[in-house]
Amino acid sequence: MTIKLSSRAVARIQAGVLPVAIIALWWLATERHWVNTRLIVPPQGVLSTGWDELRHAEFYLGVAQSLWRDASGFVLGAALGVLVGTVMGVSRLTDRLIGPTFHTARQISLFAWLPLLSAIVGTGDLSKVIFIAFSAFYPVVLGTLDGVRSVSVGHADVARVLGFSRTQWLTRLIWPAAMPQMLSGLRLGLIYAWLATIGAEFLLVNDGQGLGNTVFKGRMAFNVELILFGLVAIGAIGHLFHQAANAAEHRLLRWRAPQA
């Protein structure tokens, strides 16, 4: 009896080959004592520690806190990014006024802003949300700017003949035409926002809540199992974000003609 698998099922199986191989090699290396098991801990120890964490409400409160910070910062940064990218794309004067400063500021490492933020607004949630918003802001601006500049002259002439108002120019011409690049920028912004969430929690520890604080707690206690469990949890949530962003992008761009 021949079992036929769909292309999606085959892709999922292929994607799982490397993680399974890594875990198998990890288990074998620790089981045979090829490595120092105080530093490279056995996978079953990580599973045990993870199970203990999952049994406590504190872990879920930390996840909720991280997701709240991530969502707040992303929404703020993305909204400002779409606004600034659109204005820079449609106005040459604004691009000349803002563009050089924007492109200079984005060369500064994001984590270099943390000392300034903590000095101005402290190490609480406000500084974390602002930092996350910064992280999402830059890729969204660049994606929106590229998308707006890609609007063809022919489409603009048609809109001008039809007598579009400024609102119609945005909602019926510019944003729909720029949507692919805007969504790419938003997807990158979502990824960077999650990375910034964990980084801010790890570096601006003040309340002990969040997935970044889980890793920090493991480091302070030299609990490698807890550190690895925190990393796995962070990666799993980031992967879910990636899948959700891809699904949303596919759904929003269904109107496009298929590529030849």
Side-chain angles (χ1 to χ4, degrees):
M1 181 179 179
T2 303
I3 299 177
K4 293 184 178 181
L5 298 175
S6 65
S7 58
R8 181 175 297 182
V10 172
R12 288 178 176 175
I13 292 173
Q14 291 173 339
V17 170
L18 182 59
V20 171
I22 291 174
I23 293 173
L25 180 61
W26 176 15
W27 175 83
L28 185 63
T30 55
E31 186 71 15
R32 298 292 180 87
H33 295 281
W34 294 343
V35 294
N36 183 350
T37 54
R38 292 188 61 190
L39 297 176
I40 310 298
V41 296
Q44 56 267 29
V46 178
L47 287 174
S48 176
T49 299
W51 175 247
D52 289 339
E53 286 291 311
L54 292 173
R55 293 169 59 190
H56 293 88
E58 182 181 356
F59 171 76
Y60 299 99
L61 291 175
V63 172
Q65 190 77 359
S66 294
L67 293 177
W68 178 86
R69 290 166 180 153
D70 178 69
S72 300
F74 173 73
V75 170
L76 177 61
L80 291 175
V82 169
L83 176 62
V84 172
T86 301
V87 173
M88 288 174 62
V90 300
S91 172
R92 292 183 179 179
L93 175 60
T94 303
D95 188 26
R96 287 196 294 267
L97 291 173
I98 298 178
T101 302
F102 168 79
H103 292 294
T104 300
R106 74 186 183 91
Q107 303 304 320
I108 302 173
S109 172
L110 288 171
F111 287 96
W113 293 102
L114 281 176
L116 180 62
L117 284 174
S118 60
I120 295 174
V121 295
T123 59
D125 279 342
L126 180 58
S127 61
K128 294 183 176 74
V129 170
I130 294 174
F131 175 67
I132 295 164
F134 261 119
S135 302
F137 175 74
Y138 293 117
V140 174
V141 170
L142 293 174
T144 303
L145 182 60
D146 288 343
V148 172
R149 286 177 174 173
S150 70
V151 177
S152 67
V153 176
H155 285 97
D157 289 339
V158 171
R160 193 174 294 108
V161 169
L162 293 175
F164 278 9
S165 66
R166 290 186 177 181
T167 301
Q168 289 174 323
W169 268 80
L170 281 176
T171 59
R172 299 179 64 179
L173 172 64
I174 293 177
W175 282 343
M179 187 64 68
Q181 292 92 330
M182 288 175 64
L183 289 176
S184 295
L186 288 167
R187 186 174 69 247
L188 284 176
L190 186 64
I191 294 171
Y192 291 162
W194 182 239
L195 295 176
T197 299
I198 303 305
E201 291 176 347
F202 188 80
L203 297 174
L204 297 177
V205 178
N206 73 323
D207 57 6
Q209 291 184 345
L211 281 174
N213 299 121
T214 299
V215 178
F216 180 82
K217 183 173 63 175
R219 189 191 72 170
M220 295 301 293
F222 201 73
N223 186 338
V224 181
E225 291 90 347
L226 183 58
I227 294 174
L228 289 175
F229 168 72
L231 294 177
V232 170
I234 291 167
I237 294 176
H239 179 71
L240 290 177
F241 281 156
H242 175 71
Q243 294 296 323
N246 282 343
E249 183 175 358
H250 178 74
R251 184 177 183 85
L252 289 171
L253 297 180
R254 286 184 304 175
W255 54 270
R256 289 195 305 173
Q259 299 292 329

